[in-house]
Amino acid sequence: MFESIDMAPPDAILGLTEAFCNDLNPDKINLSVGVYQDAHGRTPILACVKEAEKRILHQEQTKAYKPIQGSADYAVVVQALLLGPDHEIIANRRAVTAHTPGGTGALRVAADYLKKMHSKVTVWLSEPTWPNHPGIFQATGLPIKTYPYFDGATNGLAFDAMLAALRRVRAGDVVVLHGGCHNPTGIDPSPDQWERIAEVLAERKAVPLVDFAYQGFATGFRDDAAGLLRLCRPGCELFVCSSFSKNFGLYNERVGALTVIAGSTESAQKVLSQVKACIRANYSNPPAHGAAIVTTVLNDPGLRRQWEDEVKQMRDRINRMRKLFVETLTRKGVKADMSFITRQHGMFSFSGLTQSQVQTLRDEHSIYIVGTGRINVAGMTEANMDRLCQAIAAVVNS
Ligand code: PMP
């Protein structure tokens, strides 16, 4: 059976991390990984998470299975974080939430549900998008199309082209939108642009799927949900895939959520029953620990304040690095305007570096960047900034 199979291609980003680990240069810099790093290059456990874990360890009575969709109190905190606790959708019980293994799990359950119940739909992805998006939807056999997103001339949003493509979407098609901190570009629509996107999707009767992996990493929890809230019109239908990998630092606990918003309580319950059928045939029920942490922190006023403060520290550090990066590049005389980087959000930016520049940075300077030029700003520190910008100047100006 196994003699004739071919090797699968290595994951583009994880493969780079492997090469980084094998690099003997003590001054090597990794801007390719998708995790937050602090000023010492560490990916820390948040203090509020450690405290919640102590409480959970003390109070936990059983390791019995969770329900297929996870705990009900987790669903309550997830919906309140997304929509605000007083939203009409919550009051009218139009939303249902399943705890999934990470944001990836949420996307895959959504894809399975779509394939099972609405197999004729096309899924629309931004071009470019997180490289796992096509893989997840293709795995279920759903057809995929793309809409333009990045304008290389301005290093901004290709808004007119994006809207023009969305105007061609068929009724019932699913349009995947990044809720904020677009990965890989760092470019988010403005509030007015979100309003226009919401209008067009409503006109087309398209169903948004908001991939919300970085809530709190752009400007703050409520502000970051502004785009999502514009899509949440009376009677709307949509999917939200949450991830708590980044904003709780719970990468390896695999904690995320699929929230489906339907037109009525009855429809929401029917959808949940089908979502549960998909989960049952996949991983049966979710792992408990990460969701217990998220629920404990969000339900305790003191831990919640601490969490908001710790996320703010991560956000502020990233924004400081964006500024320092652009200032240092200018000081090093880089012959390219990279000021757009301070206007982008979250951990990632499209740097505008070409594939061959990226290769030279890796081969000659031990600086690891994804081939598309996507950089993880959180990999920058006050300590490595000078060397990084010196190398970029050498490569860009040559
Ligand atoms: N969506 C996007 C846009 C992401 O960047 C990521 C994480 N890289 C995810 C989803 C999935 O996150 P998780 O680790 O929670 O599965």
Side-chain angles (χ1 to χ4, degrees):
M1 180 185 278
F2 305 131
E3 292 298 305
S4 60
I5 62 160
D6 296 325
M7 287 288 282
D11 183 275
I13 298 173
L14 299 183
L16 266 182
T17 302
E18 218 170 287
F20 174 80
C21 291
N22 293 333
D23 189 327
L24 298 177
N25 184 341
D27 296 325
K28 61 191 176 178
I29 298 173
N30 190 358
L31 302 185
S32 66
V33 284
V35 298
Y36 175 79
Q37 288 164 276
D38 66 13
H40 308 287
R42 290 186 295 245
T43 303
I45 302 177
L46 301 189
C48 63
V49 165
K50 273 286 185 205
E51 176 55 33
E53 286 185 305
K54 273 191 216 153
R55 294 186 194 177
I56 293 163
L57 186 64
H58 189 65
Q59 287 159 7
E60 188 175 54
Q61 301 288 343
T62 178
K63 296 284 186 190
Y65 291 126
K66 288 286 170 195
I68 295 172
Q69 73 275 32
S71 300
D73 46 357
Y74 176 72
V76 170
V77 295
V78 169
Q79 291 183 14
L81 189 65
L82 290 173
L83 303 169
D86 304 322
H87 200 283
E88 159 273 319
I89 289 173
I90 296 178
N92 291 325
R93 296 172 47 226
R94 292 210 283 127
V96 286
T97 295
H99 163 206
T100 55
T104 307
L107 287 159
R108 181 58 193 259
V109 171
D112 284 343
Y113 163 82
L114 286 168
K115 178 68 186 171
K116 184 171 174 215
M117 303 308 299
H118 313 276
S119 62
K120 298 282 184 292
V121 306
T122 294
V123 176
W124 292 76
L125 302 173
S126 66
E127 173 53 46
T129 192
W130 180 45
N132 213 12
H133 274 155
I136 290 168
F137 290 101
Q138 269 157 8
T140 63
L142 287 165
I144 289 173
K145 286 190 180 158
T146 59
Y147 59 87
Y149 194 81
F150 179 67
D151 178 0
T154 61
N155 284 296
L157 184 62
F159 186 60
D160 292 343
M162 173 182 180
L163 271 200
L166 295 183
R167 286 202 184 92
R168 292 197 299 275
V169 166
R170 285 178 317 172
D173 277 359
V174 172
V175 176
V176 177
L177 298 156
H178 296 227
C181 303
H182 183 271
N183 180 2
T185 65
I187 299 163
D188 292 330
S190 68
D192 283 351
Q193 289 171 331
W194 272 113
E195 190 61 40
R196 301 272 307 281
I197 293 167
E199 271 165 24
V200 169
L201 295 185
E203 266 163 39
R204 301 302 306 160
K205 296 193 174 18
V207 181
L209 186 158
V210 178
D211 184 2
F212 213 5
Y214 300 92
Q215 189 175 4
F217 266 54
T219 41
F221 291 98
R222 293 283 21 104
D223 286 354
D224 289 6
L228 166 68
L229 292 178
R230 281 188 158 75
L231 299 167
C232 288
R233 297 171 163 220
C236 65
E237 296 181 333
L238 64 122
F239 298 85
V240 189
C241 296
S242 310
S243 164
F244 296 112
S245 301
K246 316 288 151 75
N247 56 14
F248 271 85
L250 287 171
Y251 304 90
N252 68 13
E253 296 296 352
R254 310 308 299 135
V255 52
L258 170 62
T259 297
V260 187
I261 298 170
S264 66
T265 314
E266 296 71 39
S267 313
Q269 288 304 319
K270 287 187 210 161
V271 175
L272 179 63
S273 71
Q274 295 293 349
V275 165
K276 283 165 66 178
C278 295
I279 292 172
R280 181 74 177 129
N282 185 350
Y283 53 88
S284 191
N285 48 74
H289 189 62
I293 295 168
V294 170
T295 310
T296 303
V297 170
L298 293 182
N299 276 334
D300 179 283
L303 287 181
R304 188 181 172 122
R305 264 196 306 279
Q306 189 179 10
W307 173 63
E308 291 188 6
D309 191 50
E310 291 188 275
V311 175
K312 181 174 184 309
Q313 284 174 34
M314 292 195 271
R315 179 170 70 231
D316 288 351
R317 193 185 105 69
I318 291 169
N319 289 335
R320 254 196 336 274
M321 286 306 107
R322 286 186 179 280
K323 231 171 131 242
L324 185 63
F325 182 52
V326 173
E327 282 167 11
T328 315
L329 287 171
T330 310
R331 197 155 46 75
K332 298 281 177 194
V334 168
K335 291 194 205 124
D337 177 15
M338 287 179 145
S339 58
F340 58 85
I341 287 182
T342 54
R343 295 190 289 275
Q344 299 173 345
H345 294 145
M347 295 202 301
F348 302 116
S349 267
F350 249 16
S351 61
L353 292 166
T354 64
Q355 180 111 32
S356 78
Q357 289 169 336
V358 165
Q359 192 66 41
T360 312
L361 282 167
R362 179 179 156 182
D363 295 345
E364 293 176 16
H365 301 273
S366 297
I367 292 171
Y368 289 77
I369 295 174
V370 181
T372 53
R374 185 195 83 165
I375 50 176
N376 178 2
V377 180
M380 299 176 189
T381 64
E382 267 94 359
N384 69 20
M385 193 63 85
D386 215 63
R387 192 178 106 66
L388 170 68
C389 294
Q390 184 75 45
I392 294 178
V395 169
V396 170
N397 293 352
S398 71

